[in-house]
Amino acid sequence: RNIAMTLGGFEEASLCLRGKDRVIVKSRKGIIKYCLKYGYRIHPIYTFGEDYTYYYVDGALDLRLKLNQYKIPTVAFFGNPWLPILPLRSAKLLTFVGEPVQMPLIEEPTQADIDKWHQIYIDALVKLFDSKKAEAGRPDAKLELF
């Protein structure tokens, strides 16, 4: 069985800006701890084009991220002119799934274990992004990690 989880949540939506590839991953260590505790594998996944599904209100990024810490969503967007909550029809999404990162079984992972495997996951995500960005039509794209 497999499950899929979106690690960035609404905080990642707050970062969205057309032409920018941004992910919230630096503070997302809980999933790594869980995978270590049970010896699960985790696949890096990246979708190109999400930044073109809507038009986003830009500005005050530091303030928006601060409000996100208090679980206050700070994303403002609009899409389809007839029903702005729907995405733009012109958006093209390409999702790529990377090779799995097999976590060792560590029943009580230390912070050092979590930090080590978290970095391995981040490296795998960046490798996936860099290896697929040309195929996605964005050869000069840079992945920004928050």
Side-chain angles (χ1 to χ4, degrees):
R1 293 186 178 181
N2 294 308
I3 62 170
M5 299 177 80
T6 303
L7 301 183
F10 70 81
E11 292 94 340
E12 198 163 277
S14 296
L15 291 175
C16 243
L17 186 62
R18 292 172 78 81
K20 298 284 186 179
D21 293 283
R22 297 172 165 175
V23 294
I24 296 260
V25 68
K26 289 182 178 180
S27 62
R28 300 300 203 244
K29 295 184 180 183
I31 187 68
I32 301 300
K33 180 179 180 180
Y34 187 81
C35 289
L36 287 169
K37 191 171 182 176
Y38 296 99
Y40 292 150
R41 68 178 178 255
I42 185 169
H43 289 261
I45 299 173
Y46 192 80
T47 300
F48 289 90
E50 285 185 327
D51 52 325
Y52 285 94
T53 54
Y54 294 94
Y55 294 102
Y56 301 93
V57 176
D58 189 20
L61 181 60
D62 291 336
L63 174 63
R64 293 188 347 234
L65 292 176
K66 186 70 170 167
L67 290 172
N68 284 174
Q69 292 175 357
Y70 298 101
K71 304 301 178 206
I72 300 171
T74 58
V75 60
F77 62 90
F78 58 95
N80 188 306
W82 300 106
L83 190 56
I85 197 154
L86 293 178
L88 295 166
R89 293 178 59 182
S90 60
K92 293 179 178 36
L93 301 175
L94 288 171
T95 300
F96 295 95
V97 179
E99 293 296 318
V101 175
Q102 180 62 55
M103 301 287 171
L105 177 61
I106 305 173
E107 290 183 12
E108 294 295 328
T110 65
Q111 190 60 50
D113 295 327
I114 295 166
D115 291 344
K116 172 188 172 184
W117 287 96
H118 182 251
Q119 188 58 53
I120 289 170
Y121 170 76
I122 289 174
D123 292 345
L125 179 63
V126 171
K127 179 182 175 186
L128 172 68
F129 178 88
D130 287 341
S131 70
K132 299 298 182 181
K133 64 185 180 181
E135 186 177 338
R138 296 174 75 166
D140 297 325
K142 303 277 187 258
L143 184 60
E144 296 178 46
L145 307 175
F146 286 81

